[in-house]
Amino acid sequence: MDLAKKPKPSGVCNLCNAPTDRREALNQRCSLVVNGRRCSGTIKSAVNALWDECESCHATGKVGTQECTECKGFGWKIYA
Ligand SMILES: [Zn+2]
Ligand SMILES: [Zn+2]
């Protein structure tokens, strides 16, 4: 199966590095909940961020028919 690669996320949290591709989330508080607490980071534009292709799904966001758990289906991970 030859899945298309996903576009790189447009935004990323400056604290937990969670990616997002919702433009309206930019400059808003991160909505990720970790251990029952909402992340206090802010979503910043990731246009100039460096992204690494997810090794598990090769930027397709899927492993077989399942969403890739490694990158939560985004296909990309922020380069850290
Ligand atoms: Zn966050
Ligand atoms: Zn992945």
Side-chain angles (χ1 to χ4, degrees), residues 12-18 29-30 32 34 37-44 78:
V12 66
C13 174
N14 66 352
L15 198 68
C16 69
N17 288 341
R29 194 171 157 197
C30 177
L32 205 87
V34 182
R37 299 182 67 170
R38 195 170 157 198
C39 175
S40 59
T42 306
I43 305 296
K44 296 290 181 193
I78 193 101

Side-chain angles (χ1 to χ4, degrees), residues 1-44:
M1 200 156 65
D2 196 24
L3 287 164
K5 288 189 181 187
K6 302 195 79 150
K8 292 174 186 175
S10 56
V12 66
C13 174
N14 66 352
L15 198 68
C16 69
N17 288 341
T20 182
D21 45 23
R22 286 171 45 235
R23 291 212 153 267
E24 64 272 23
L26 292 182
N27 299 316
Q28 304 286 313
R29 194 171 157 197
C30 177
S31 59
L32 205 87
V33 177
V34 182
N35 299 329
R37 299 182 67 170
R38 195 170 157 198
C39 175
S40 59
T42 306
I43 305 296
K44 296 290 181 193

Side-chain angles (χ1 to χ4, degrees), residues 54-63 68-77:
C54 174
E55 289 170 10
S56 299
C57 64
H58 302 282
T60 61
K62 294 209 164 185
V63 176
C68 177
T69 51
E70 200 53 37
C71 61
K72 299 187 179 68
F74 278 100
W76 297 90
K77 291 171 143 189

